[in-house]
Amino acid sequence: MSALLAGATGLVGREIARLWRGPGPLHLLVRRPLAAPPPGCTVHVVDFAALPALPPAEEAYCALGTTIAAAGSQPAFRAVDFDAVLAFARAAQAAGVRRLGVVSALGADARSSNFYSRVKGEAEAALGALGLPSLVIARPSLLDGERSALGQPARRGEALALALARPLAGLIPKAWRPVPAERVARALLAAVAEGRPGVRVLDSAALQEMGAP
């Protein structure tokens, strides 16, 4: 059983690739070559704006995402978090994928007045309209993980929020407290493997529980 992963260079995508145990290969779709791909993974350098035909697969994972600050503008952010996400899902569906897991975000809502949350919600709606037999949407709260090891620029606001929240984690409801990227990856892998029909949304509390080691 082969699988596809877009976003392998991010916090959650890195953990999905690290935790992958097959039985088939995991095909990583990246924009730049990886220095040391995880065992059992095959790397494909692609342009998400013009994806080629993807290897046949039964399941896929999408952990693509950026921030408006990193992207540089709202249109550039949308090009990643909506256009690239939907393009990957369509290409994966054409490759035979029947089970798709996607990393979205807490507060995703297509009717939100907040641009970030609205784009995330619109992406979820567009994915649901594809009619995949099984779609799992993960909505994590603030992701906890080491970004410097990924070569990503520092996110000062995120770092400050994590520094303040970590000591108080036990007092913050599970739905709102920071969630380790590894837990999100474990939960998404488990939920996609279950293959429940229809659209299944996992909030951050569910991700905390399902992804516990």
Side-chain angles (χ1 to χ4, degrees), residues 2 8 12 27 33 48 83 87 108 110 112 115 121 135 144-145 149 154 174 200 202-204:
S2 297
V12 177
H27 296 276
F48 284 97
D83 296 339
S112 176
F115 179 78
L135 172 63
D144 195 345
K174 286 184 178 180
R200 181 182 183 186
L202 301 176
D203 66 13
S204 209

Side-chain angles (χ1 to χ4, degrees), residues 63-145:
L64 291 170
T66 185
T67 63
I68 297 174
S73 68
Q74 289 186 348
F77 169 81
R78 186 179 178 87
V80 175
D81 283 62
F82 183 91
D83 296 339
V85 168
L86 189 57
F88 169 69
R90 286 173 171 161
Q93 188 177 35
V97 164
R98 298 177 59 80
R99 301 186 300 275
L100 173 64
V102 180
V103 181
S104 183
L106 178 71
D109 184 347
R111 297 170 295 180
S112 176
S113 59
N114 177 274
F115 179 78
Y116 177 91
S117 297
R118 185 169 68 252
V119 171
K120 290 291 190 181
E122 290 174 350
E124 289 186 6
L127 292 170
L130 294 178
L132 287 158
S134 180
L135 172 63
V136 180
I137 297 172
R139 291 179 181 170
S141 58
L142 182 63
L143 289 173
D144 195 345

Side-chain angles (χ1 to χ4, degrees), residues 179-190:
V179 56
E182 179 181 353
R183 289 203 177 195
V184 178
R186 286 185 184 278
L188 200 57
L189 284 165

